[in-house]
Amino acid sequence: MTATGEELVAARGGSWWWERRRSAVFDVGLAVVSALECGFEGVAFAREAGVPQAVGVVFGVLAGSVLLVRRQWPIAVVLVAIAVTPAAMGFLMGVVGLYSLAASEVPRRIIASLAGMQSVGVLIVMFVRMRQNLARGELDVGDWIVPFASITMAIGVTAPPLLLGLYVGARRRLMESLRERADSLERELQLLAERAEERAEWARGEERTRIAREMHDVVAHRVSLMVVHAAALQAVARKDPEKAVKNAALVGDMGRQALTELREMLGVLRSGGDGAVRRERASVPLAAVGAAAAAAASRAVEEAEGPSLAEIEELVGQSAAAGMVVDLSVEGESRSYARVVESTAFRVVQEALTNVHKHAAGAKTYVRLAHRVSEIAMQVENEPAPEAGSSAGLPSGGNGLVGMKERVSALGGVFVSGPTDAGGFRVSAVIPAS
């Protein structure tokens, strides 16, 4: 993980306006060299100006040491360099100051103005000094060499540091822009990773809910019927051995069916888990974790051979065999629906009948199924339980109605449940056909 710009500055450990200690050391070294240069040139300046040499040296040292603040105040450094140009001192300060100015964030018009002033200053000073040397006879050259040398010197002193500073400044700004973009991209990736983790956690919760709901539907109904038959078997074992044998056979059939459905579900979950491990080993990107987990959860449920509407008659027959009086009525023309629609409709009826076994044993129950143009509707309603009705003592987990509502709502349907005016209970659901 890369560090942000603020963390980089803090890690460099610089002081004052320097970002790095080595930058401070470098600037101090430049200031010392510039001060020595200007101090040495201050001797000649004092002699020409007719002032004590100590004054010229101190003036030169003070002027040259201004290079220490070239990063913070480059304009001041260039102005001082321009000011001491007539004294023929500050060559290093002028070159480095102009470079620092061009590499800074100062507006281009100010850079151009100060560079032009320094170039003109060097041109004038060079021209005047060469004319003075010619007048004293110290130089024996043609008159044409004076303007040529002056122009060449002015351009040579200002153009290279100016161009180099502009290049370094542009490169520095480009690097800072790239660093900011990298920091922004890193923050976006972190946000995406957090969102992907949230989606993955949500998908895992959805998968657990789906599995729990499916396990509840498979186990609760079969085991409830097994308990009812076992209770009946216990009651008639001595009085009616033939009926006891029949009930025992039904208990065995219910157990085998429950085991078969559990094996199918566990097989799908186990294969889905292997796929998840393979995806993890293949280093799937974080951004796809949530979608992959959600898809795996949906696929695990959809791939299982869920029940269909054609099995509702068998379901009602099993409840009737357990002693429940069930009336099944079907309206409309029967047709095939999507697997998830038929499975959801079957589970709603199954769970409603299971609740009747649990809470209203012996009550007459009506199961109505209506095939409509664009939807399928189902209703399971039971009358009040008779006072003498036998109770198998089945526990209630409190998740049946919640699971039915979640299933129906997931398909865009409507689910309603509640007691009837007659004292019974009614469960109704409408599921879109597509």
Side-chain angles (χ1 to χ4, degrees):
M1 185 178 294
T2 61
T4 61
E6 292 80 0
E7 292 172 346
L8 288 174
V9 173
R12 290 163 183 166
S15 58
W16 291 2
W17 53 80
W18 290 289
E19 295 180 353
R20 301 182 181 88
R21 291 188 180 90
R22 63 181 183 181
S23 299
V25 173
F26 181 72
D27 286 355
V28 170
L30 284 177
V32 170
V33 174
S34 178
L36 293 176
E37 177 203 351
C38 292
F40 178 76
E41 294 170 343
V43 176
F45 168 71
R47 185 171 57 249
E48 294 178 359
V51 297
Q53 290 186 354
V55 175
V57 172
V58 172
F59 175 74
V61 170
L62 292 176
S65 60
V66 175
L67 201 58
L68 185 67
V69 297
R70 70 181 186 91
R71 296 179 189 267
Q72 186 71 7
W73 297 292
I75 295 178
V77 175
V78 175
L79 289 176
V80 171
I82 295 173
V84 300
T85 298
M89 65 173 63
F91 175 79
L92 178 62
M93 180 172 57
V95 173
V96 176
L98 188 58
Y99 162 80
S100 303
L101 178 67
S104 66
E105 300 295 333
V106 177
R108 294 293 179 87
R109 62 179 182 275
I110 298 179
I111 296 175
S113 300
L114 293 178
M117 292 172 59
Q118 184 169 347
S119 178
V120 171
V122 173
L123 176 65
I124 294 174
V125 171
M126 188 68 180
F127 184 83
V128 171
R129 287 187 172 273
M130 289 190 69
R131 294 291 297 180
Q132 290 175 351
N133 292 335
L134 285 175
R136 289 195 295 264
E138 296 178 1
L139 292 176
D140 186 14
V141 294
D143 293 339
W144 64 272
I145 201 65
V146 175
F148 176 78
S150 300
I151 295 174
T152 303
M153 185 66 178
I155 296 176
V157 170
T158 57
L162 179 65
L163 296 177
L164 181 60
L166 291 174
Y167 166 76
V168 172
R171 184 176 180 275
R172 184 182 302 159
R173 287 186 289 272
L174 176 61
M175 295 300 294
E176 291 177 355
S177 174
L178 293 176
R179 186 180 295 112
E180 290 177 358
R181 292 179 61 184
D183 294 340
S184 176
L185 180 60
E186 181 182 357
R187 287 191 293 269
E188 291 179 1
L189 289 177
Q190 290 176 351
L191 182 60
L192 288 175
E194 293 175 359
R195 291 181 177 176
E197 185 63 27
E198 292 176 357
R199 290 183 61 190
E201 184 62 29
W202 172 83
R204 286 191 291 268
E206 286 292 311
E207 184 177 4
R208 287 192 294 267
T209 302
R210 289 172 183 266
I211 294 173
R213 186 163 54 235
E214 196 72 16
M215 294 287 285
H216 175 271
D217 292 340
V218 170
V219 175
H221 181 72
R222 302 294 185 190
V223 175
S224 298
L225 292 180
M226 290 171 63
V227 173
V228 171
H229 283 296
L233 176 62
Q234 183 180 6
V236 302
R238 296 180 180 179
K239 300 179 181 180
D240 192 350
E242 183 178 352
K243 189 174 181 181
V245 171
K246 183 179 179 181
N247 287 339
L250 288 175
V251 171
D253 291 340
M254 294 294 176
R256 282 188 290 272
Q257 291 176 5
L259 287 175
T260 300
E261 293 186 10
L262 285 174
R263 286 195 188 99
E264 291 176 354
M265 184 181 303
L266 293 176
V268 173
L269 293 176
R270 189 175 295 113
S271 63
D274 295 341
V277 171
R278 286 194 296 271
R279 286 193 297 273
E280 183 178 356
R281 291 177 180 175
S283 300
V284 178
L286 261 179
V289 171
S298 300
R299 188 168 56 253
V301 176
E302 292 175 0
E303 286 181 356
E305 292 185 4
S308 62
L309 290 176
E311 301 176 33
I312 286 186
E313 292 186 5
E314 180 182 355
L315 177 66
V316 171
Q318 292 173 354
S319 295
M324 179 187 295
V325 180
V326 189
D327 180 23
L328 173 64
S329 62
V330 180
E331 300 177 3
E333 183 179 356
S334 179
R335 63 182 188 275
S336 61
Y337 301 90
R339 173 61 63 87
V340 65
V341 173
E342 294 200 11
S343 175
T344 300
F346 180 91
R347 294 302 187 193
V348 169
V349 176
Q350 182 187 58
E351 181 60 27
L353 292 176
T354 302
N355 287 340
V356 175
H357 283 292
K358 290 181 179 180
H359 308 294
K364 185 175 181 179
T365 305
Y366 302 91
V367 179
R368 299 182 179 88
L369 189 65
H371 299 276
R372 299 171 183 171
V373 177
S374 59
E375 61 188 17
I376 178 172
M378 65 227 63
Q379 184 181 90
V380 179
E381 180 180 349
N382 63 274
E383 297 178 352
E387 296 181 359
S390 62
S391 175
L394 292 170
S396 176
N399 297 319
L401 295 177
V402 175
M404 285 190 283
K405 185 175 182 179
E406 289 177 350
R407 282 182 177 274
V408 174
S409 299
L411 299 179
V414 179
F415 177 85
V416 179
S417 64
T420 63
D421 296 336
F425 199 85
R426 180 187 299 119
V427 172
S428 302
V430 178
I431 304 175
S434 56

